Amino acid sequence: MKKIPVLKDFVNRQQFQDDYRSMFSRLDKDIPAGIVVFLVALPLCLGIALASGAPLMSGLISGIIGGVIIGYLSKSGTSVSGPAASVAALVLLAIEDLNSFQLFLGALVLAGFIQVILGIVKAGILADYMPTSIIKGLLAGIGVILILSQLPYTIGYEIDKSKLLNYSEDYINNTYNLILNFFNAFTIGAVVISVLSLGILIYWDKTPLKNFKLIPPALVVVILGVLLNQLFKIVMPFLYLDGIHLVNIPKVDSIRTFFTFPDFSGYNNPKVWTTALTIAIIASISTLLNIEATDNIDKLKRRTPPNRELIAQGIGNTLSGLLGGIAITSVIVRSSVSIEAGAQTKLSTIIHGFLLLLSVLFLSSVINLIPLASLAAILLVVGYKLASISVFKSLYKRGWNQFLPFVLTVIFIVLTDVLTGVLIGSALSIFFLLRSNYYNPFYIENIKYVQDEVIKLELSNEVSFFNKASIKNTLWSVPNNSKLLIDASFTSYMDPDVVDIIKEFQKRALVDHNIEVNVIGMKDSYLLGEEIDFYKKTKVEIKAKTTPLEVLEYLKEGSTTYASRNLMSRKMQSKDLIEHLHESPLAVVVTCVDLREPLNMMLNTAIGDLVSLRSAANFLDKQSILNLEISCRDQNAKLVLLFGNSNNTVVKEALQKHLDKTTSNLNVLIEDALNSESFTNRDLKTESLDKLANDIVNFNIEKAKIDLVAKSSYFKEALDNGSVGIASAFFNREDNLVVFSELFEG
């Protein structure tokens, strides 16, 4: 039986062995980091369970499963999973709607199965389409929430509801009340511990303490908080923190107090299925966003396979439902703490899960000594790093289309919830995407192609449904009695709706508005059928009756386009390219071997329009003249263009050897110029080498025009009867401008 690709890693024995070995490669980093994550996750698990309206123990069960089970199954080296604030409100509403925590657990089991299916069908690809501005907005929004939610604990603010974190609170009002009642509500002992903790966390890397790599500053802060508080108890009792200012883990008396089992009798209840689907979708979106955000701040820049992550999360949520937990997702707060604490592999996540289990079973009395002020200081620093001023500045510099969705995401995450904020920010990003696509699906110009004028509409690489309106408006704005060329040679995808618009326009334009429409470069999958071949047919006819002067003017216009960098692509289908190369060229161009710039782009001509010959320093010998005769007489080119360029290294080398009185075979390239009247009276040693080289190049291309007529009876006759023209041009590399001479009259 053929295995489903995304499940291969879960049944691959070698993969398990490799994961096992890699997990134990950095114990010096992962063990301390796992301890720090555990200390941060513990109050969060309890607080989110409280905010979800579920038993407090369910938050710990979810944290244990998220750490141990998902931590092992996940391919991420940085993501930490557990109960999440982003789904707390959803769980609360679900429990109230079903009127039973056990029925909710049954729905959670279903949600886990749905997530596994989403992973199998590779729905994780959605993460790749999330804009960076939204991901950074998610991080910054979570950072702001962390700062606002931890302020009460840093000052020992005695709230009536609970000592635990409640992410469903109205943070704006809470912050206002906090400031209003600050002087009457703060606890001096908590402020002392918070200030010292923040000082350690902020200045740790600026002191010799940073050399103690095995001890992360966050762990030092927690230990210091416990020791200080115990010292307060003995020396200064008025500073001692107890009760709501300390962590409080419920004691496990029996297996019944630890696990709650689901009620499967509600599977015929539509509300259970609706709840399951909603949890699966929101938990999956939250996870995909979080792993994308976590990967962005991973110091090792690893990438998490999103489909495997969905399967791991689905298995975790299924177990959580079976054992009495609440919904699990990848959680950015714990993941950020893990990265900042120095975690290198997923062993850190697994360790934090085992420590949660051990703390519940054996260490509740010890863990309950930790002041919440110490944990709050850690989270304040994490929150600021996620929402620092530099983050806002960097997004502002990227433009309003990045900055506004970012800010909107942050604001609505803080004021509402994570999902709402992300959706609103994404909606604004889509608006900017639609706006940019409206203006950028094509490039359009009038081509004065010798004796005919054609309006060319060149489509971009991808023409989507979003481009429909702009293309439609542009097509129906084409003037009457025009010739329109729609070039899809560079287009790799075209939406069927756009194809229909072009078909409709092509069908009606000639009849209604006397507009001849030709479409080239279309792929077979959306080929429009019989083309109006006026462009290909008349091009041959045009070239046959084109004069040398018209070709020269055409090349002048092309060089102006190159200088302005307003070029069109020249990509063609292989069939079109072959047919194009069989046509007669417009001109033959003689360039120096020093010219490396693409000649077709510099003169903005199509492939096959030019025959390019190379000659050092534009020096023409007998063989070069023969090649030019063949190009014009046999290939029907109408113009010979002697094309020089500035900063010519060949000429400069020949000049330098001449000035150094060094014998060189390059002397032949410049001796005619140096022996001419233009140079004999000049002091070559005092002049700029670049200026001399440019003057010699111009001398050579002007002399080449005279030699062509003097040494070739064909060119003398062709010049007399006007069938072929001769001209020169000089390309200045500093400003990309080409200066053309008039046609040589002989």
Side-chain angles (χ1 to χ4, degrees):
M1 178 178 168
K2 189 175 180 180
K3 296 176 182 177
I4 299 173
V6 77
L7 294 177
K8 284 183 179 179
D9 287 346
F10 287 93
V11 295
N12 190 319
R13 182 178 178 182
Q14 183 62 45
Q15 184 67 52
F16 272 110
Q17 291 175 348
D18 292 343
D19 286 348
Y20 182 81
R21 283 193 293 268
S22 66
M23 275 198 306
F24 294 93
S25 61
R26 296 306 305 270
L27 293 176
D28 59 325
K29 297 284 188 180
D30 290 332
I31 292 176
I35 295 172
V36 172
V37 177
F38 152 69
L39 294 171
V40 172
L42 183 64
L44 291 176
C45 289
L46 296 169
I48 292 169
L50 182 71
S52 301
L56 293 182
M57 190 60 69
S58 65
L60 295 172
I61 292 172
S62 299
I64 294 167
I65 293 173
V68 178
I69 305 301
I70 298 179
Y72 183 72
L73 295 178
S74 172
K75 196 69 174 175
S76 175
T78 55
S79 174
V80 181
S81 297
S86 57
V87 293
L90 174 62
V91 173
L92 177 65
L93 293 174
I95 294 174
E96 291 178 351
D97 193 32
L98 296 173
N99 199 28
S100 168
F101 181 62
Q102 287 75 14
L103 281 178
F104 162 77
L105 294 178
L108 185 57
V109 172
L110 279 177
F113 279 116
I114 294 172
Q115 281 188 290
V116 171
I117 294 172
L118 290 175
I120 292 174
V121 300
K122 299 184 178 181
I125 195 175
L126 293 173
D128 296 332
Y129 293 94
M130 188 56 59
T132 301
S133 59
I134 303 303
I135 295 172
K136 289 185 179 292
L138 167 67
L139 291 170
I142 294 295
V144 173
I145 288 176
L146 275 177
I147 293 171
L148 295 176
S149 64
Q150 297 309 305
L151 286 176
Y153 305 121
T154 59
I155 63 172
Y157 184 52
E158 297 188 4
I159 50 181
D160 296 331
K161 291 172 62 178
S162 172
K163 66 179 179 301
L164 304 171
L165 302 181
N166 187 345
Y167 279 81
S168 64
E169 291 181 287
D170 184 342
Y171 291 112
I172 301 300
N173 288 333
N174 283 351
T175 305
Y176 173 77
N177 291 331
L178 173 66
I179 296 172
L180 190 64
N181 301 311
F182 175 79
F183 292 103
N184 295 325
F186 74 93
T187 304
I188 298 178
V191 173
V192 172
I193 291 175
S194 297
V195 171
L196 290 175
S197 299
L198 287 172
I200 292 172
L201 293 168
I202 294 171
Y203 295 104
W204 181 274
D205 288 336
K206 300 177 183 179
T207 67
L209 292 172
K210 65 181 180 181
N211 297 321
F212 295 94
K213 302 294 185 182
L214 296 178
I215 305 177
L219 183 58
V220 173
V221 163
V222 171
I223 295 173
L224 178 65
V226 173
L227 295 178
L228 268 179
N229 196 43
Q230 294 305 309
L231 183 63
F232 291 160
K233 184 177 182 180
I234 299 171
V235 180
M236 293 176 284
F238 68 95
L239 296 178
Y240 176 65
L241 301 175
D242 59 1
I244 65 171
H245 301 294
L246 302 176
V247 170
N248 183 20
I249 300 176
K251 186 177 180 181
V252 177
D253 296 322
S254 65
I255 193 68
R256 287 187 176 183
T257 61
F258 195 76
F259 294 125
T260 303
F261 300 103
D263 181 358
F264 295 111
S265 64
Y267 282 173
N268 58 350
N269 184 348
K271 290 184 178 180
V272 171
W273 287 91
T274 302
T275 298
L277 184 61
T278 305
I279 291 175
I281 293 174
I282 293 181
S284 297
I285 292 174
S286 180
T287 289
L288 292 174
L289 290 174
N290 282 316
I291 62 171
E292 186 73 15
T294 302
D295 287 346
N296 283 345
I297 59 176
D298 179 15
K299 296 174 182 177
L300 300 180
K301 299 304 177 185
R302 292 165 289 189
R303 308 307 298 173
T304 301
N307 297 311
R308 172 162 174 161
E309 187 67 25
L310 286 180
I311 294 175
Q313 295 287 334
I315 294 173
N317 273 315
T318 299
L319 287 176
S320 185
L322 290 172
L323 299 178
I326 52 179
I328 301 172
T329 73
S330 172
V331 188
I332 188 63
V333 175
R334 273 155 270 185
S335 302
S336 302
V337 170
S338 178
I339 292 171
E340 291 298 325
Q344 299 291 303
T345 75
K346 62 184 181 181
L347 181 63
S348 169
T349 300
I350 297 172
I351 288 173
H352 118 274
F354 274 116
L355 289 177
L356 284 174
L357 177 61
L358 292 175
S359 67
V360 172
L361 298 177
F362 308 112
L363 302 176
S364 59
S365 59
V366 176
I367 301 300
N368 288 345
L369 296 176
I370 300 174
L372 291 177
S374 299
L375 301 179
I378 296 172
L379 294 175
L380 279 179
V381 173
V382 172
Y384 179 75
K385 287 182 178 180
L386 295 176
S388 64
I389 296 174
S390 61
V391 173
F392 283 79
K393 285 183 177 179
S394 66
L395 267 295
Y396 179 76
K397 290 178 180 178
R398 295 177 69 171
W400 290 107
N401 61 333
Q402 293 281 316
F403 185 66
L404 288 181
F406 163 76
V407 170
L408 211 61
T409 301
V410 173
I411 291 173
F412 278 92
I413 283 178
V414 173
L415 295 180
T416 57
D417 56 68
V418 171
L419 186 61
T420 302
V422 167
L423 291 176
I424 292 175
S426 299
L428 187 58
S429 290
I430 292 173
F431 167 77
F432 282 117
L433 175 65
L434 291 172
R435 184 172 176 268
S436 64
N437 273 277
Y438 183 87
Y439 291 107
N440 296 296
F442 53 81
Y443 173 74
I444 188 166
E445 72 170 359
N446 287 356
I447 305 175
K448 189 176 181 181
Y449 192 71
V450 192
Q451 292 184 351
D452 274 347
E453 182 166 321
V454 177
I455 299 173
K456 181 174 182 179
L457 188 149
E458 182 175 296
L459 300 177
S460 59
N461 187 42
E462 291 190 5
V463 183
S464 68
F465 172 80
F466 300 139
N467 309 134
K468 177 179 176 180
S470 58
I471 290 179
K472 182 178 180 180
N473 292 337
T474 300
L475 289 177
W476 291 107
S477 299
V478 173
N480 294 346
N481 308 311
S482 301
K483 291 183 178 180
L484 175 68
L485 171 65
I486 300 175
D487 188 355
S489 301
F490 196 62
T491 303
S492 60
Y493 169 77
M494 187 181 298
D495 188 87
D497 282 1
V498 178
V499 174
D500 291 341
I501 289 173
I502 295 175
K503 281 183 178 180
E504 181 66 18
F505 182 79
Q506 191 178 27
K507 180 180 178 181
R508 294 176 51 188
L510 185 61
V511 177
D512 296 347
H513 304 283
N514 195 31
I515 300 174
E516 294 183 60
V517 181
N518 185 33
V519 182
I520 62 172
M522 300 291 286
K523 290 188 176 182
D524 293 338
S525 57
Y526 42 86
L527 192 63
L528 297 183
E530 196 68 29
E531 293 181 349
I532 302 173
D533 209 22
F534 81 87
Y535 186 75
K536 293 181 180 178
K537 290 179 180 178
T538 58
K539 188 171 185 180
V540 176
E541 297 169 1
I542 288 172
K543 285 187 176 180
K545 62 183 181 182
T546 296
T547 65
L549 179 60
E550 289 170 334
V551 173
L552 181 61
E553 293 299 320
Y554 175 66
L555 298 182
K556 286 182 180 180
E557 290 179 8
S559 70
T560 303
T561 303
Y562 175 80
S564 66
R565 287 292 188 261
N566 195 18
L567 294 176
M568 297 184 300
S569 68
R570 298 299 175 189
K571 180 178 178 181
M572 293 186 176
Q573 304 293 330
S574 58
K575 183 181 73 170
D576 295 330
L577 178 58
I578 292 172
E579 292 177 2
H580 202 70
L581 292 177
H582 287 168
E583 298 171 0
S584 299
L586 289 174
V588 54
V589 185
V590 181
T591 65
C592 179
V593 294
D594 175 73
L595 186 74
R596 305 299 171 82
E597 289 83 353
L599 195 60
N600 275 97
M601 292 180 63
M602 295 172 69
L603 300 177
N604 199 30
T605 57
I607 296 173
D609 280 350
L610 303 177
V611 175
S612 178
L613 297 180
R614 298 280 187 174
S615 178
N618 301 87
F619 183 84
L620 292 186
D621 57 12
K622 184 177 180 180
Q623 185 62 44
S624 300
I625 294 174
L626 177 60
N627 290 331
L628 292 175
E629 287 181 356
I630 294 172
S631 299
C632 295
R633 182 181 61 238
D634 301 332
Q635 299 292 319
N636 299 317
K638 296 297 183 70
L639 177 72
V640 175
L641 183 66
L642 289 308
F643 195 92
N645 62 273
S646 67
N647 192 26
N648 192 305
T649 56
V650 176
V651 176
K652 286 200 294 185
E653 183 180 355
L655 263 174
Q656 190 63 58
K657 289 184 180 298
H658 172 79
L659 294 173
D660 295 338
K661 300 185 184 304
T662 303
T663 303
S664 170
N665 57 4
L666 296 178
N667 288 341
V668 67
L669 303 177
I670 62 173
E671 61 183 4
D672 287 343
L674 296 180
N675 293 331
S676 68
E677 293 181 1
S678 302
F679 287 84
T680 53
N681 296 325
R682 296 168 63 171
D683 187 356
L684 304 184
K685 293 183 179 180
T686 61
E687 290 195 46
S688 163
L689 196 64
D690 287 335
K691 175 69 167 56
L692 284 171
N694 290 348
D695 290 345
I696 289 175
V697 170
N698 277 303
F699 177 90
N700 283 355
I701 59 179
E702 293 302 317
K703 183 177 183 299
K705 291 190 287 188
I706 298 172
D707 289 345
L708 271 179
V709 178
K711 298 179 181 180
S712 170
S713 58
Y714 167 76
F715 279 111
K716 178 175 174 50
E717 181 180 349
L719 201 64
D720 289 339
N721 62 35
S723 60
V724 174
I726 302 173
S728 60
F730 186 82
F731 170 61
N732 191 328
R733 282 172 163 155
E734 293 183 0
D735 55 14
N736 291 320
L737 293 178
V738 181
V739 178
F740 289 81
S741 73
E742 299 301 323
L743 285 177
F744 182 62
E745 296 180 355

